[in-house]
Amino acid sequence: MGKIAGVEFAPQVVSATRFAPSPNGRLHIGHAFSALCAHDFARAFGGKFLLRIEDIDGTRSRPEHIAAIIDDMAWLGLHPDGAPLFQSQRIANYAAALERLKEKGLVYQCWCTRSEIAEALKQQPVRHGPDGPVYPGTCRGRSGGDGDFCWRLDMEKAVALTGPLSWIDLAAGPQIANPAIFGDVVLWRKDAPASYHLAATLDDATDAISHVVRGMDLFAYTAIHRLLQQLLDLPQPLYWHHPLLLDDSGEKLAKSRASKPLSELREAGESGAAIVAALRRGQLPLGITLSRP
Ligand code: GLU
């Protein structure tokens, strides 16, 4: 038996978990908790714990944030197995997957700007998904356009091809995957190669991640990842979406909000090991609570 962050797990065969921060800001205590969950899960069941830097967004990723992440992890005493992995070094793999989806006729080019999408949404009934209004499909079936474009998944075709899908969350139980609620998601961005969905799903396969341990805020996205796994013949990991640390207004801690960066605590001489030990005991800093599982 293993108890991690207050959650009891039955014995598992774990090959690897990962902590996958995006280096577009400093890590805060919510990240420390997430890293601790993935780390302790791997250590409890003899798997590897990997650090994957999700630096695909060249405009927002910063080398100083990458350096701080690596230093923060060492300071927290959450030591990854092996060197950090970088998404920016795997673009060819993402491009090859996009090619396969093109060959299957499952993706299409989209030239729409944000304002064109907003305009199109005014003209027709809007469907709302977990990320807001669903893309109205303006470019589906369009053969050419001007300027930059992204690639979108033809969701209807994709779900028709795979049929019903499900996945397992170790805390929440078996789940029906319903990616259709997201509509035609972007898989290759205008401004950055590959979307989070495509890159993270492929990487979890490349890195032989048997258990994806990450925050509850990403729970709904797993339906998209499950669909991509099926379309690209990738293995299906198990998941644990851990509870989130919330601030005093009940909002998840975000890089942009008041939560103090770990690097500041580190530079002020605080002990990372003590912070991790307190989190393990379920002791949270003043004003911070844990979301309900
Ligand atoms: N890079 C994502 C983030 O920082 C996490 C992705 C994941 O764990 O799947 O929110």
Side-chain angles (χ1 to χ4, degrees), residues 225-290:
H225 303 173
R226 181 69 201 93
L227 177 67
L228 291 173
Q229 285 155 9
Q230 199 68 16
L231 295 173
L232 293 165
D233 307 308
L234 305 174
Q236 180 183 355
L238 293 165
Y239 292 84
W240 174 34
H241 291 90
H242 61 71
L244 302 175
L245 299 194
L246 306 177
D247 67 13
D248 50 13
S249 53
E251 297 277 348
K252 122 183 144 129
L253 299 184
K255 287 167 207 169
S256 50
R257 291 181 66 96
S259 48
K260 225 182 204 178
L262 295 177
S263 52
E264 253 177 56
L265 305 175
R266 174 159 54 77
E267 281 149 20
E270 288 205 33
S271 158
I275 291 175
V276 165
L279 288 173
R280 283 200 178 107
R281 288 194 299 270
Q283 290 170 347
L284 303 174
L286 207 63
I288 291 181
T289 55
L290 200 60

Side-chain angles (χ1 to χ4, degrees), residues 73-147:
M73 297 292 286
W75 173 72
L76 292 165
L78 302 173
H79 301 290
D81 292 302
L85 306 160
F86 291 90
Q87 285 195 327
S88 56
Q89 294 171 3
R90 294 175 162 183
I91 312 262
N93 193 34
Y94 311 146
L98 182 72
E99 281 309 312
R100 286 186 62 196
L101 296 172
K102 281 186 207 170
E103 281 159 19
K104 293 181 190 222
L106 292 173
V107 286
Y108 64 88
Q109 285 161 289
C110 169
W111 289 267
C112 292
T113 60
R114 272 174 206 274
S115 57
E116 281 164 352
I117 294 175
E119 204 44 50
L121 287 169
K122 282 190 206 153
Q123 315 296 324
Q124 51 194 287
V126 179
R127 198 155 65 80
H128 284 270
D131 279 341
V134 164
Y135 176 67
T138 319
C139 287
R140 201 186 305 124
R142 194 170 150 183
S143 54
D146 282 331

